[in-house]
Amino acid sequence: MAKREQVDVLVIGAGPSGSVSSAFLHRNGFKVKVVEKERFPRFVIGESLLPRCMDNFEEVGLLDVLKKQNYQIKVGARFVRDGKDCWFDFEDHFSKGWTWTWQVPRGHFDKVLIDEVASWGVDVAFETAVTAVDTSGERQLTTVRHADGGETLIESKFVIDASGYGRVLPRLLQLDQPSVMPPRSSIFSHFTDRRRPEGILGERITLVIHRKDVWLWIIPFSNGITSVGFAGNPDYFATYDNDDKSKQLLDMINDVPFVRERFHDQEMVVPGMMLKTYSASVKSFFGPGYVLAGNSSEFIDPVFSSGVTFATESGVLAAKLAKRQLNGEGVDWQAEYVMYMHQGIDFGHTPSTATPGHRQKKGRIC
Ligand SMILES: Cc1cc2nc3c(=O)[nH]c(=O)nc-3n(C[C@H](O)[C@H](O)[C@H](O)COP(=O)(O)OP(=O)(O)OC[C@H]3O[C@@H](n4cnc5c(N)ncnc54)[C@H](O)[C@@H]3O)c2cc1C
């Protein structure tokens, strides 16, 4: 028979969205449990951050531990198209806020965050996957399966689904709907980078627009390793199709002179990985006793590196609104959560109207 547990809030997933929402609720006196399917560190893509996420980490008390990690500082981005170079600096911003952030190996970064939350006393269960949920009653009933095959039934007043690509509640509650975004594929790995240029040129994230519908990233980390990946139209990826994704990635790199010179003979420190048609959308971001945060709700094209920022922005806001609801205050989830988050999502969905030069103040060469 399944064991039973009771908490105030169950958070599904220990990525950045789950870490910030559990941190906020714990600091506000709620009994929180986080369940995470994987053992950490685990690989996840999404390594270039935006300054706005620093506010979110600071607000929930997670910035100090991140500052100790010596991650690569990111002060802007470099876009390259048709041999032309365009640099953007966060200090040329249009509103107040942080002028820098980091480029991070997410396996390490996500573990630092959730380990810190666990060190405060939050119950974090790794290798524990949600398999079923019943949201029909006053309390949410969530079934989780442990690595040894055992099950626990977790009774909670509220559930935050921060399961990212796992999309736990959208799948279990049939909330999925087709995305308005065109299908996209991506292939990537981490490389040694022995020809990394000196100084800012070697440190800065570089986004290369290879063709109209295919771009690639170079994201250097402070540990000497660099993330390289392609994203774009699945038809382009099909022309290189190979069961060996490391080989496929190398073939693709070898056809782009900009990256071939630097990476053709470097070692991959993790095998090449591919994501196919990863865009997703949902009919609703919330329901009685639950909310979707981060990637479990909508997916934004990664060209502007907005995923972790969206995940933490929605994670903190979801936690704040859950706190109010649990304290008996009324919450208008549509107006206070969905509409707010959609401002960011809609911007991220329209890259053609939000090209890098769109609001540029002083890119160096464009
Ligand atoms: C090609 C590509 C490039 C990207 N580049 C960037 C970038 O440069 N910058 C950026 O900010 N973002 C980027 N992103 C987006 C980024 O990957 C995500 O937005 C970000 O990881 C979302 O964080 P999250 O906390 O919502 O989910 P995740 O980080 O995915 O965490 C969710 C967690 O939930 C767990 N989980 C899943 N199912 C279950 C289950 N059944 N039970 C329990 N736990 C479960 C998972 O194991 C996982 O650890 C990119 C995405 C793609 C596809």
Side-chain angles (χ1 to χ4, degrees), residues 12 52-53 67 69 123 159 215 221 246 254-255 301 346:
I12 309 172
R52 170 66 189 168
C53 74
K67 281 184 174 169
Q69 307 305 318
D123 178 8
V159 175
W215 58 276
F221 302 135
S246 299
N254 279 328
D255 281 348
D301 193 281
D346 293 344

Side-chain angles (χ1 to χ4, degrees), residues 202-252:
E203 292 169 358
R204 186 168 282 225
I205 176 175
T206 303
L207 300 146
V208 183
I209 315 302
H210 177 45
R211 296 159 28 137
K212 186 168 162 273
D213 52 3
V214 178
W215 58 276
L216 57 122
W217 70 79
I218 302 167
I219 303 176
F221 302 135
S222 57
N223 61 5
I225 300 300
T226 294
S227 173
V228 181
F230 288 73
N233 188 332
D235 294 344
Y236 178 77
F237 291 74
T239 62
Y240 288 89
D241 195 29
N242 191 322
D243 289 343
D244 180 344
K245 294 304 164 198
S246 299
K247 173 82 173 62
Q248 179 173 343
L249 176 56
L250 275 180
D251 288 345
M252 292 171 76

Side-chain angles (χ1 to χ4, degrees), residues 102-216:
W102 290 293
Q103 292 154 193
V104 297
R106 284 284 304 282
H108 188 276
F109 182 81
D110 289 12
K111 182 165 166 32
V112 166
L113 287 171
I114 199 65
D115 284 353
E116 178 72 2
V117 173
S119 76
W120 301 342
V122 172
D123 178 8
V124 181
F126 290 100
E127 297 185 274
T128 300
V130 171
T131 55
V133 65
D134 178 355
T135 58
S136 60
E138 194 134 294
R139 285 172 171 261
Q140 318 305 309
L141 298 175
T142 306
T143 307
V144 296
R145 184 167 301 137
H146 309 283
D148 64 4
E151 291 195 332
T152 302
L153 186 67
I154 302 170
E155 199 180 299
S156 63
K157 297 175 189 161
F158 201 84
V159 175
I160 296 182
D161 180 8
S163 61
Y165 304 105
R167 303 177 57 73
V168 169
L169 293 192
R171 278 188 299 104
L172 294 175
L173 300 177
Q174 285 85 46
L175 302 174
D176 274 319
Q177 69 174 12
S179 170
V180 294
M181 287 175 65
R184 290 280 180 251
S185 292
S186 183
I187 188 164
F188 41 82
S189 185
H190 287 176
F191 289 79
T192 56
D193 192 3
R194 283 186 287 272
R195 276 186 290 276
R196 182 183 285 185
E198 290 290 316
I200 184 75
L201 194 61
E203 292 169 358
R204 186 168 282 225
I205 176 175
T206 303
L207 300 146
V208 183
I209 315 302
H210 177 45
R211 296 159 28 137
K212 186 168 162 273
D213 52 3
V214 178
W215 58 276
L216 57 122

